[in-house]
Amino acid sequence: MIPVRQILTPEDLVLFQESTACSEILSFLGALNDSVIGVKTTDAIEDSEIIQKLLCLLEAIQQTNKDIKPIETNSRFGNAAFRDFYDMVEQKLPTWLAEFVPAEHIEEVSKYAQESFGNRRRIDYGTGHELNFLSFLLCLDKLELIKREDYAALVIHVFFQYVHVMRGLQMSYWLEPAGSHGVWGLDDYQFLPFLFGAGQLRPHKHLRPKSIHNADILEEFSKDYMYFESVLFVNSIKTGSIRWHSPMIDDISGAKSWEKVNLGLIKMFRAEVIGKLPIMQHFMFGSLISFTGGSMPADVAHGVDDGEHDCGDHGHVFALGQEFPDCCGIKVPSAIA
């Protein structure tokens, strides 16, 4: 079964937020987060067979990125070679997934995996694509290919490797951030590494959110915690003070505890990712993640790329994962501030 879109209107979104599918996504995210509380990235975590196969899948995708070289161009964003990469991955995914996914589910699971690596036409990437990778893992969980004891390795080894794969794609093909200002200043592309990274740090007795302003701490502990590694990466590709290039990260650093940061980011994910129509109108549903909205015509359900949103006296056109621009008033959630 090929997943199709089911969310078109605000009413559809409300129905989704009250649905089993929404609860399953949030519950899975919460369980993954809980599995890494107090766990270092460098801790010895055993990789089960399914974890090893997922890492092999990401290695194959990373190799495809290396094999398909960027086209020489003067354009800063959107190297057309990404489309060749995308087509090659789309062609090979069913074969790669056949190593561990039951044949009757390959077509469905493959769609979520494919949508995890960006948009072919726009050559961009955002939180909607990251959500698709989380949903890809949820599908494997629902097929009972992943066990609860795999969750820590799923986050620390598989998800974090996915982040590294995406950084490679972003840097080599200059994927455009799918939004007007990235993920609210956390990162131009990713959100979940900060969420999981804050979970890792929750019980730490000495490191605090404000520690991100200490370059020596970032350098020393980036290998142990995703949050510090993610901040270090943002600092490495942007110039100037973090207060200017990533104001949300700077604001969050004022929180009193990592628990407050972690729970606040979970709340933000619910409100600003799966709670936003411009993102969820592109999300697809099948038999494993099932939801029926009711407003989506059959000829539209299989793939319109852009949506629109009215903001007072003006409107915006959105790409997958794009969020409301500054004029629409996104602020740091009170759960974190």
Side-chain angles (χ1 to χ4, degrees):
M1 177 181 184
I2 300 178
V4 298
R5 297 168 60 211
Q6 295 286 351
I7 299 174
L8 179 64
T9 67
E11 291 74 21
D12 291 336
L13 183 62
V14 170
L15 289 175
F16 166 70
Q17 290 176 309
E18 298 170 349
S19 71
T20 300
C22 184
S23 296
E24 288 174 341
I25 293 171
L26 289 172
S27 294
F28 184 59
L29 175 65
L32 292 180
N33 179 72
D34 289 346
S35 74
V36 296
I37 291 177
V39 179
K40 293 182 180 179
T41 307
T42 51
D43 282 350
I45 304 173
E46 184 177 355
D47 289 338
S48 66
E49 184 178 357
I50 185 62
I51 297 298
Q52 293 174 30
K53 289 181 177 179
L54 285 168
L55 290 173
C56 286
L57 171 65
L58 290 172
E59 183 179 350
I61 291 169
Q62 195 168 43
Q63 185 60 50
T64 305
N65 177 198
K66 294 177 181 177
D67 292 341
I68 299 178
K69 307 298 183 184
I71 297 171
E72 291 189 14
T73 175
N74 293 325
S75 175
R76 183 185 173 194
F77 286 110
N79 193 290
F82 174 73
R83 297 190 177 111
D84 296 329
F85 161 84
Y86 189 98
D87 292 343
M88 183 63 69
V89 170
E90 186 174 38
Q91 175 186 335
K92 291 186 174 181
L93 260 177
T95 301
W96 290 336
L97 292 177
E99 293 291 321
F100 53 92
V101 176
E104 64 271 23
H105 291 290
I106 288 177
E107 188 175 46
E108 181 173 0
V109 173
S110 180
K111 186 64 176 177
Y112 291 109
Q114 183 70 47
E115 290 293 316
S116 299
F117 299 106
N119 181 272
R120 183 188 186 281
R121 183 176 67 81
R122 292 187 304 271
I123 314 181
D124 68 6
Y125 175 90
T127 49
H129 302 101
E130 187 182 57
L131 172 61
N132 270 280
F133 190 75
L134 179 69
S135 301
F136 164 64
L137 299 179
L138 174 58
C139 286
L140 301 183
D141 186 74
K142 297 194 72 172
L143 289 171
E144 299 184 345
L145 299 173
I146 294 172
K147 309 300 181 185
R148 186 166 286 270
E149 52 266 29
D150 293 320
Y151 283 6
L154 199 63
V155 175
I156 301 295
H157 294 165
V158 176
F159 178 79
F160 203 29
Q161 181 58 26
Y162 162 72
V163 172
H164 287 295
V165 169
M166 287 314 310
R167 288 176 183 171
L169 296 178
Q170 291 151 14
M171 299 299 287
S172 58
Y173 302 127
W174 291 102
L175 303 187
E176 190 164 2
S180 60
H181 58 308
V183 188
W184 319 288
L186 285 179
D187 181 299
D188 285 342
Y189 303 97
Q190 312 289 161
F191 180 81
L192 291 179
F194 293 91
L195 188 155
F196 291 136
Q200 289 180 286
L201 284 159
R202 272 177 65 167
H204 204 287
K205 296 181 179 179
H206 305 295
L207 297 174
R208 296 288 183 266
K210 65 181 180 182
S211 298
I212 66 164
H213 298 291
N214 186 313
D216 292 334
I217 289 179
L218 279 182
E219 187 69 38
E220 181 178 355
F221 292 98
S222 61
K223 67 181 184 301
D224 293 322
Y225 300 105
M226 270 186 272
Y227 197 98
F228 289 144
E229 196 277 346
S230 297
V231 173
L232 189 67
F233 177 74
V234 171
N235 283 341
S236 73
I237 62 173
K238 296 191 176 185
T239 58
S241 167
I242 195 171
R243 291 179 173 84
W244 294 105
H245 64 63
S246 302
M248 181 68 77
I249 295 176
D250 179 57
D251 288 343
I252 291 173
S253 70
K256 294 182 179 179
S257 69
W258 286 112
E259 180 177 21
K260 193 173 183 66
V261 173
N262 187 221
L263 296 178
L265 289 176
I266 293 173
K267 183 178 180 181
M268 182 190 283
F269 179 86
R270 178 168 190 160
E272 304 294 350
V273 179
I274 64 172
K276 292 300 185 186
L277 183 60
I279 293 176
M280 295 309 299
Q281 67 183 356
H282 299 278
F283 191 76
M284 298 187 180
F285 300 90
S287 65
L288 295 171
I289 303 176
S290 180
F291 169 73
T292 302
S295 298
M296 183 73 71
D299 59 340
V300 176
H302 287 274
V304 174
D305 280 327
D306 298 306
E308 296 183 355
H309 165 71
D310 291 324
C311 179
D313 58 354
H314 60 287
H316 308 287
V317 176
F318 291 88
L320 179 61
Q322 183 169 341
E323 261 305 327
F324 299 107
D326 293 333
C327 58
C328 300
I330 286 184
K331 304 189 185 307
V332 181
S334 59
I336 296 177

